[in-house]
Amino acid sequence: MTQANESLRVSSMGMSRRAFLSAAGLMGLAVGAAGTLAAGEVSVAHADEPVDVATNGGFDCMRTFGDNTAYLPVKKAEWTQLNGPVGFEAEPVDPSLISRTDTCDFLVIGVGIGGMTAGLHAADEGANVIGIEKMHAGRMAWESVGGYNTRMQQELNNVPDPTEYMEAIMRASMWRARADAVWGFIQGSGAAVDFLNDMVIKGGKGVSFFSTEQPPAANKMDVIQAEHKINVPEGVEWKSWLKGGFVWDSLLTTAETYPNFDIRYNTAGVQLTQDASGRITGAIAKDAEGYYAIEAAKGVLLATGGYEANPALMQAWMRPEDYQTVKPLAPCMGPTGDGHMMGLAVGAAMDPVPHCIMNFRSVSQLNANKCMTAGIWVNHRGRRFVNEGLPFNYAANAINIARIGGHPVWFVFDDAAVAARLEAMPALRDDIAASEADGTLVKADTIEDLAAAMGADPAELAATIETFNGYFEGVEPRDAQFNRDLGKSAPIAQGPFYAGQHTCQALVTVSGLIINENAQVLNENDEVIEGLYATGNASGGLFSDAYPRHLPATSTGRAVTFGYVAATHALKGE
């Protein structure tokens, strides 16, 4: 066993916060040991050299916060899908290694959508801003932005009721969300989203946001008219629902017009610095040339994203069923929990574990997957287990539970569903054939043969489909088991029949450091850590158990809003 591995074999009865953070950082540094670089070439953070530590190499994540901590036992599971470069270092940096000290008014650590909004706002107010980003670019994998009382909503007379918005977020969290943070998000989001839109338009590339009008939800979930989607440039054909890259390109152009906003890529935030009073005064950064200090007179914002690319943190803070059978969606190697660990190292409070992840039921550009809501979803026994019309996140929860034990979960449909979609999706049959070839979809002329191909009980699957088809025999179709809206469904009766495998996907983790309505990070006594702010998926207080996908763009809205709010408060105290 290597010395690094030996150091990780700590007693579960006496692991300090620093020891946990140090070990979590070391494990995350094993880039490529078990993770995948399927996302393409990445620029790694300038942290310590990778160490010989297996993804789960004997590391005991118990006692994350010291001896005064209790944990519920869960079965171990591994997250090997992503393993990115960790910038955070738990051990204090030797002062002799710090080559210089730079100064600014406001320091942004992590230049994604939240950090970019904060940096642009602070620069627009005349502050000198430094933004450090350990990767070669900020993350762009998002779809829209949520907010209340924007000019775009006002123009359409589409402003949501803020109290209904508040209640919807609180209900989705089972009232575990922090009311001050939720209300701060709602009240601050209008100005923040308007500012973001102004900055995007300023880029001059034909990109902007618009307020959406959403119909009532058939699944009886709350509908809040808070989403702002993206207008792409005229003449551009774009099929993906992730359009954040257009916004990002415009923001980069706008940022170039602010000489007082210095963005430094391939530069990792290593650790925060404090004065004798405990106030955060800046950070230690590391680039290709080594360590240097950055002093920030007004404040420091942690905007480093989640930790889905850090196996140690995923395995320590997430429910195993939320990640053990899923695949990454739009994978990025940057989110390794640097902001979480930097905050914890200075005494910050964090959302209680288990943390919340943004899971989606099967998402694919393949047309075959567009048939998943045409029929029914069944487990390995051939039984339905959920209302197939649920929002992506809740559907993913049900699928992940059904897959415990490693069993497949299937969406079953018939040829009538395929024929009904051919005009809109001419390549559907080709995609079905491709899915058959790669083993993710099976096809048969009879239900019994389909069950055999799925590995399910033929009698059980036939009974399930017979029961489902019976729901259409009345005057009004009605799902008598899960109360699904059957208005756009039909019986499964025309062969050949198909079954595709469900594979859920995880986009980001969304739990983090506790903040107040001003985006200030709080300690374990619920007191402000002066000079320290957090936004986006490095921040917490809004979500619990499951991300509320039925309230679109709340996560991105949070990042934009609290980035804007943090800059405002740091510079003006308001």
Side-chain angles (χ1 to χ4, degrees), residues 393-407:
N393 53 306
Y394 297 122
N397 285 351
I399 293 166
N400 289 337
I401 291 297
R403 292 194 67 188
I404 287 178
H407 299 292

Side-chain angles (χ1 to χ4, degrees), residues 106-306:
F106 190 55
L107 171 62
V108 177
I109 304 178
V111 188
I113 188 62
M116 178 65 83
T117 301
L120 285 172
H121 180 37
D124 196 55
E125 293 289 335
N128 291 316
V129 184
I130 294 176
I132 60 174
E133 168 57 54
K134 73 179 182 182
M135 308 303 281
H136 69 287
R139 192 173 193 178
M140 309 163 227
W142 45 275
E143 170 186 15
S144 51
V145 176
Y148 154 73
N149 201 28
T150 64
R151 294 192 301 267
M152 291 164 279
Q153 292 170 337
Q154 293 169 17
E155 289 168 1
L156 294 178
N157 194 26
N158 192 37
V159 178
D161 184 319
T163 60
E164 291 181 358
Y165 202 0
M166 174 81 168
E167 184 179 27
I169 295 175
M170 295 299 294
R171 181 185 294 113
S173 75
M174 302 303 290
W175 281 268
R176 290 191 177 101
R178 307 272 296 205
D180 52 355
V182 175
W183 193 242
F185 157 65
I186 293 170
Q187 293 299 309
S189 60
V193 174
D194 281 339
F195 174 80
L196 176 66
N197 193 40
D198 290 344
M199 293 293 101
V200 170
I201 293 172
K202 186 176 179 179
K205 299 194 174 185
V207 183
S208 62
F209 287 95
F210 65 94
S211 174
T212 63
E213 296 183 87
Q214 301 175 62
N219 50 42
K220 301 179 178 62
M221 293 288 176
D222 293 310
V223 175
I224 304 295
Q225 304 295 341
E227 185 177 29
H228 301 76
K229 289 194 173 183
I230 301 166
N231 287 311
V232 302
E234 186 176 352
V236 173
E237 182 179 355
W238 187 259
K239 295 183 178 180
S240 173
W241 53 279
L242 296 172
K243 298 179 180 178
F246 291 99
V247 169
W248 193 250
D249 182 54
S250 294
L251 292 176
L252 289 175
T253 299
T254 298
E256 292 174 356
T257 68
Y258 289 91
N260 53 332
F261 186 13
D262 180 5
I263 303 176
R264 304 173 182 181
Y265 293 105
N266 301 304
T267 303
V270 172
Q271 54 198 221
L272 299 170
T273 56
Q274 295 175 282
D275 64 18
S277 72
R279 178 183 175 84
I280 302 303
T281 57
I284 305 299
K286 192 177 186 183
D287 61 14
E289 297 180 358
Y291 299 101
Y292 65 95
I294 303 175
E295 294 181 353
K298 300 292 186 179
V300 176
L301 173 66
L302 298 173
T304 50

Side-chain angles (χ1 to χ4, degrees), residues 88-109:
F88 168 78
E89 297 178 19
E91 296 303 315
V93 175
D94 185 338
S96 67
L97 299 177
I98 298 175
S99 62
R100 69 181 194 272
T101 298
D102 294 346
T103 61
C104 63
D105 296 315
F106 190 55
L107 171 62
V108 177
I109 304 178

